[in-house]
Amino acid sequence: MPTRRGSGDRRRSRLERPSAEGGASAPVESGPSSATDAPEPTVARADALVEAPAGKVPRRNAMFPVGVNYYPLDTEAMGWEDWYQRDFDADFAAFSEARFALVRLFVSWKKLEPQVGQYDEDALEHFAEVLSAARENRLQAIVCFFADDRHAEMVDVPWGKRRDPLTDPYLISREVALVQRVVNRFRGEPVVFGWDLANEAFASGFQSAEAFSTWTRTLRESIREIDSERPIIVSVDPEAFYRHRSVDAIPAIDQCEFAVSHATASYRAYAAEGPITSGPGTYLDSFLVHSAARDLPVLMDDVGVFSLDNSPAEEAAYLRTVLYSGLMNGAAGVLLRRYRDLDIECREPYYRDPFEVLVGVADVAGRPKPACAEASAFVRVAARVDLRRYTLIHARTAILIPAERYEPLPNLAGLYDPRACLQAYISAKEAHIPVTIARENDDLGAYSVIVVPGAFRLGADTWARLAEFVQQGGSLVLSYGGGDPDPAMRGIFGVEFLGDGGNRSKLSCRIAQPDVLGSLRAFDAPIELPCYALLGHGGATVVATDHRGSPLLTLNQFGQGRAVCIAAPLERAIAQGDAWAAPEPVTELLREVYGAVARTAGCGTPVECGEPAVELALFNGVEDDILLLLNHGPTKRTAHLTFERFVASISDVRGGTPVEVGSTTFGVPLEPNGVATLRLAYK
């Protein structure tokens, strides 16, 4: 994956440790060679798009490993001393059968060091047996040193005497000693993929970014004294963690070799509350992947449902969506939340753990659920997408997360900006634009299009860099977020700010310049707008107005680039309202504007799709391409695709007889939350 700063080699070098061993696509509708030849595509049977026997294929994708968190206790009746006492050989055999590549194992400080400075050699030997079982089943282990699951009590050492294990110098010195003892014991084990310093539940106790960064650096240096090769991870999602603790984890994460994305239950309730198989919830995991990426490969962590509120079919559909969206958005791999459901006492509520570790992909008896079969099927498909031969189209459009997001209350940016950015990300995805996330201090020169969705305030230096970005040929889309904008707005956007028109409960759009920013349509739609910029003429082209003639959309040529101003924070208005019932004309307006700007800037996708709810990902190869399609909706739909090149034939990525297309257009039917994985051969 080309990362935020383009360091694709960095991800590749860090992912080649896992073993490189190794839902069918829907029928395809073939259309004429141009969209105008016939309004309705004819149907060509594509029964050959089934998996066919072929030569030896990899069992799994070494560049996109799938694994699972293997917690030490699976029943509430067990105590901390029962650490990994169950039949882990059978579980690991099941992992191997499912073609999982990774397993996260958890060290129990309480078990290994029952008395200060006295280590239980039998416990260390038992952990060696667990690692040996993983090796025998062709797994690689991520060893997590300090994890809190509020059940196994792995870090609650009795001799700690209520000291804080995150800041107390004495306990930190004992943590260093434990880490070095474990690393020294197992540094020669090829089964160990990497060292994980802490999970998010344990790290949630940090009160400041400085304390978290210092703790991470201390433990990292202690490992590097012994092991200079294996990657070091701290399993914290920077966006979700900041929402939960108001602590910036980025300085700590940037010291490691991997970043982690983790859609927690609390963050999902805040950013994308609602169904897990439709609407914004299906985009959240990939949004967090891009948010966490920066200059590091991203491991999607704790993937899975948070409760038993969903049916087994819904759990499987959600997992399918997350797995494919991870592959389609440049993640470096996936770890499922838990293998087995926790067997608990019969009571309500049925869960006790605030860190969502109770629901697995197998039941309490170890019988795989449909979600486990879904993960195994995904591994078989992903194994055929060789990321050494195929390159995901690089995202040159970025949604800008303002630095004000980190300001405390009473500044409301922390409440509104992330949700607005998620909605902007969704709108870009629905416009089928390769898109990622940037922050104010990032190098904007890596992008061609920047979208700023309804920010309250940007830094003065950011405005200067945005002006330079546009002058040098970049494209900028900004929606007014309220208050007095920076004076630079007049020069960049060519408008005069005449004040804030205040709240509105309806958005009107009247087209002044057709086809300048996509195929816009006039409409009147009910939506609660917190503010509306009254704009005066300053040289910009007025593309659309409200019903009173006040500019709604303006386009300005500034230097060599273009700047588009939207007079209202539409992304924030959609996100703060009912995002599943947002007026279609408003969401269509955003899609058209984003898509038109990206295409003009030359960073759209070479594949056009008529279904906004279908996400596309194109992997370019030398002789052929791979196209992945994901239906984010709960209803069946057909994605009508139009290519720049003449498609000779298509086939399932897993093999099979190619189906002749002989056109630049064809349709792909998709089941609810369904996927299609196509190999494209061009004429």
Side-chain angles (χ1 to χ4, degrees):
M1 156 183 95
T3 57
R4 176 82 21 100
R5 298 177 180 85
S7 57
D9 291 338
R10 197 172 179 189
R11 173 182 184 253
R12 179 169 285 107
S13 65
R14 287 171 179 167
L15 287 175
E16 292 179 350
R17 291 188 62 86
S19 170
E21 301 174 281
S25 300
V28 173
E29 299 176 354
S30 178
S33 60
S34 71
T36 58
D37 290 341
E40 292 294 332
T42 57
V43 177
R45 296 298 299 171
D47 296 333
L49 286 187
V50 295
E51 187 172 8
K56 183 174 177 60
V57 298
R59 283 178 49 83
R60 46 205 178 193
N61 192 331
M63 301 289 288
F64 195 91
V66 175
V68 64
N69 287 310
Y70 192 60
Y71 281 91
L73 303 181
D74 281 328
T75 173
E76 202 170 29
M78 300 173 70
W80 65 269
E81 67 278 0
D82 297 313
W83 178 69
Y84 287 136
Q85 290 298 326
R86 55 169 173 253
D87 185 5
F88 47 80
D89 290 284
D91 289 343
F92 289 173
F95 299 168
S96 180
E97 178 68 22
R99 302 194 182 190
F100 292 166
L102 295 175
V103 58
R104 177 184 275 132
L105 302 174
F106 298 89
V107 169
S108 175
W109 189 9
K110 190 173 185 178
K111 182 74 173 177
L112 295 185
E113 192 177 4
Q115 299 294 329
V116 59
Q118 299 180 10
Y119 297 97
D120 189 333
E121 292 300 328
D122 290 339
L124 277 170
E125 185 60 33
H126 181 63
F127 193 60
E129 294 173 1
V130 177
L131 288 173
S132 177
R135 181 179 62 253
E136 291 170 2
N137 287 280
R138 293 181 289 184
L139 299 168
Q140 286 202 298
I142 296 176
V143 178
C144 182
F145 292 108
F146 301 101
D148 191 353
D149 74 350
R150 301 298 173 90
H151 177 57
E153 299 176 340
M154 291 180 287
V155 296
D156 185 23
V157 288
W159 45 266
K161 297 182 179 180
R162 300 184 181 275
R163 295 187 181 95
D164 184 357
L166 305 175
T167 58
D168 181 78
Y170 176 70
L171 281 191
I172 292 176
S173 69
R174 297 310 314 156
E175 291 166 0
V176 167
L178 175 77
V179 166
Q180 290 191 324
R181 191 173 188 92
V182 173
V183 173
N184 190 59
R185 171 70 183 271
F186 301 111
R187 64 178 177 175
E189 279 281 2
V191 70
V192 176
F193 172 83
W195 309 108
D196 188 359
L197 301 183
N199 71 349
E200 194 157 320
F202 177 81
S204 66
F206 284 106
Q207 302 295 320
S208 70
E210 294 75 17
F212 192 8
S213 181
T214 300
W215 183 87
T216 300
R217 181 168 55 255
T218 300
L219 268 70
R220 174 185 171 81
E221 291 173 353
S222 71
I223 293 175
R224 285 292 175 246
E225 291 177 5
I226 302 171
D227 186 345
S228 61
E229 296 183 359
R230 289 182 177 85
I232 296 174
I233 310 168
V234 56
S235 298
V236 171
D237 181 290
E239 176 61 29
F241 188 77
Y242 185 82
R243 170 67 186 168
H244 175 60
R245 296 297 304 166
S246 296
V247 172
D248 184 4
I250 290 177
I253 295 169
D254 281 352
Q255 300 177 49
C256 301
E257 281 71 40
F258 274 80
V260 163
S261 69
H262 177 197
T264 62
S266 59
Y267 193 80
R268 182 174 293 277
Y270 153 72
E273 183 181 10
I276 61 174
T277 57
S278 65
T282 61
Y283 292 92
L284 183 63
D285 292 89
S286 64
F287 173 79
L288 291 176
V289 167
H290 286 285
S291 177
R294 300 176 59 75
D295 196 27
L296 295 172
V298 180
L299 187 66
M300 300 179 76
D301 191 20
D302 275 358
V303 167
V305 298
F306 305 111
S307 70
L308 298 176
D309 293 337
N310 307 285
S311 69
E314 288 174 324
E315 291 181 11
Y318 166 72
L319 185 59
R320 181 192 317 126
T321 300
V322 176
L323 290 172
Y324 278 95
S325 64
L327 179 61
M328 295 166 71
N329 286 278
V334 171
L335 282 175
L336 305 180
R337 173 160 294 122
R338 188 182 179 94
Y339 177 55
R340 296 188 190 216
D341 293 342
L342 183 67
D343 187 9
I344 63 172
E345 300 174 0
C346 296
R347 67 177 184 276
E348 294 292 341
Y350 55 80
Y351 54 86
R352 56 170 288 184
D353 191 333
F355 295 105
E356 314 101 32
V357 296
L358 303 183
V359 183
V361 294
D363 63 16
V364 295
R367 292 184 294 264
K369 299 180 184 178
C372 188
E374 195 68 56
S376 180
F378 169 79
V379 172
R380 286 167 167 80
V381 173
R384 297 295 192 120
V385 183
D386 188 347
L387 296 177
R388 297 180 181 87
R389 294 179 51 215
Y390 296 93
T391 303
L392 183 65
I393 289 182
H394 183 50
R396 294 191 290 122
T397 297
I399 310 299
L400 188 72
I401 297 182
E404 64 178 4
R405 186 262 181 275
Y406 295 100
E407 295 181 9
L409 294 172
N411 188 307
L412 299 178
L415 299 178
Y416 295 140
D417 281 355
R419 296 184 65 172
C421 290
L422 172 61
Q423 182 55 49
Y425 173 81
I426 294 171
S427 297
K429 283 292 186 181
E430 291 180 339
H432 306 114
I433 303 169
V435 63
T436 187
I437 304 300
R439 290 177 171 80
E440 277 198 54
N441 59 353
D442 285 345
D443 177 16
L444 302 183
Y447 311 108
S448 297
V449 178
I450 298 292
V451 177
V452 184
F456 291 88
R457 184 181 67 244
L458 299 175
D461 61 327
T462 302
W463 278 107
R465 292 194 300 125
L466 287 175
E468 181 183 8
F469 169 78
V470 179
Q471 282 181 322
Q472 294 181 354
S475 297
L476 174 64
V477 179
L478 179 141
S479 57
Y480 171 68
D484 293 328
D486 192 277
M489 181 175 178
R490 186 196 187 286
I492 298 174
F493 295 97
V495 295
E496 295 284 357
F497 179 69
L498 305 179
D500 187 344
N503 296 341
R504 295 191 180 189
S505 58
K506 182 177 72 172
L507 178 66
S508 298
C509 177
R510 303 292 184 265
I511 309 305
Q513 297 288 336
D515 300 323
V516 173
L517 287 175
S519 302
L520 301 178
R521 296 186 299 168
F523 63 85
D524 295 287
I527 186 171
E528 294 296 327
L529 300 174
C531 54
Y532 193 99
L534 303 177
L535 303 177
H537 182 69
T541 299
V542 177
V543 179
T545 69
D546 66 4
H547 62 291
R548 298 173 181 171
S550 181
L552 171 63
L553 284 173
T554 65
L555 172 64
N556 187 48
Q557 187 74 31
F558 183 65
Q560 300 180 40
R562 294 164 24 120
V564 174
C565 180
I566 305 175
L570 301 186
E571 301 91 348
R572 189 197 309 167
I574 295 173
Q576 292 303 117
D578 187 350
W580 294 267
E584 174 58 26
V586 180
T587 57
E588 182 184 0
L589 173 68
L590 282 177
R591 289 198 304 268
E592 287 296 321
V593 171
Y594 287 5
V597 172
R599 287 189 296 271
T600 302
C603 54
T605 177
V607 184
E608 295 183 11
C609 178
E611 282 290 343
V614 174
E615 181 178 356
L616 308 176
L618 186 64
F619 294 81
N620 292 136
V622 176
E623 299 178 350
D624 54 10
D625 291 347
I626 290 177
L627 178 67
L628 304 186
L629 299 95
L630 171 62
N631 181 6
H632 282 268
T635 59
K636 184 176 181 179
R637 62 191 74 222
T638 298
H640 294 286
L641 307 176
T642 302
F643 291 77
E644 295 177 349
R645 302 172 64 183
F646 194 90
V647 180
S649 65
I650 59 175
S651 59
D652 190 288
V653 298
R654 296 169 298 172
T657 304
V659 173
E660 184 177 350
V661 175
S663 173
T664 58
T665 65
F666 59 87
V668 181
L670 295 167
E671 295 297 322
N673 301 112
V675 296
T677 56
L678 306 177
R679 192 181 304 277
L680 309 173
Y682 299 102
K683 187 172 181 180

